Amino acid sequence: MNRNYADPKLIVVAQDLAQHMEAQFPGTVTLTLDGSFPLFDGVPLLPHLSHDDGEKLDLAYYYEGAEGYVPGRTRSPLGYFAFEQGPTDCPPRRLTLRWDLDWLQGLFPDLALDRTRTAEALRVLGQDPRLGRIFVEPHLRESLSVGGARFGFQGCRAARHDDHIHIQL
Ligand SMILES: [Zn+2]
C-alpha cells in the first residue's frame, strides 16, 4: 500500500543497521515496517501520526522460537500489535491511538523477543548521529538496558512502541 517510502538518508541508516546486525550475528535479517506514504509532506499514516514526511521509519523487533532466532519473522502478520507487555504509566482510555488490542494478543504465534539482537540494534541506533529520536516503550528500554539522549517516549496518546522500534532523522 505504498507505506514504505523513506528519505534516502534514513534508508542508508536502516541498511547500515542491517549490515551491522548481519556482521555481528550472521544470518540476521533486519525488517523495516511502515515509513511514510510517498506523497507531499503532511499526509500522516494511521496510527503513526508522525509518519508524514519520509523522515520516520519503523523497524521490527527480532524474535526467537524454541530453536532460537527466527530470521525474517515477526510475531504478528503486519509486524505491529504483538506487544511485549510491561508496566506503563498510561491510563486506559477510549479515544486514543494507543491501541492495546488485548483481544488479539492470544492469536499470535509463540515467538519470544530476541533480547540479544533487539538490544544490540537499539544500542547501535542509540549511538547513530544521523538519528534525531528513537521511540521504544520505557519498560523495554529498561529491561534491555539501553538508553541515551536519542531515546524518547511518544506519549500516551500515540501508538505503543513495545511491538516495534521507531526511528527518525
Ligand atoms: Zn513509527
Side-chain angles (χ1 to χ4, degrees), residues 29-129:
V29 178
T30 298
L31 295 174
T32 61
L33 302 173
D34 282 350
S36 298
F37 288 125
L39 303 171
F40 44 86
D41 287 359
V43 179
L45 196 66
L46 274 174
H48 311 285
L49 282 185
S50 74
H51 286 232
D52 64 355
D53 57 5
E55 297 193 355
K56 287 93 184 179
L57 182 65
D58 290 340
L59 302 169
Y61 289 164
Y62 303 86
Y63 292 96
E64 59 188 16
E67 310 289 311
Y69 170 67
V70 285
R73 282 194 55 197
T74 54
R75 270 181 72 216
S76 86
L78 293 173
Y80 292 105
F81 308 137
F83 301 116
E84 303 301 321
Q85 305 288 0
T88 172
D89 292 333
C90 292
R93 279 214 190 89
R94 259 167 190 280
L95 288 171
T96 166
L97 290 168
R98 188 183 170 86
W99 300 342
D100 289 325
L101 303 174
D102 283 339
W103 55 273
L104 201 58
Q105 300 305 308
L107 301 177
F108 294 127
D110 222 4
L111 297 177
L113 185 69
D114 185 317
R115 306 182 68 84
T116 312
R117 284 175 176 76
T118 305
E120 174 65 9
L122 287 170
R123 191 189 65 74
V124 169
L125 292 168
Q127 293 172 354
D128 195 324

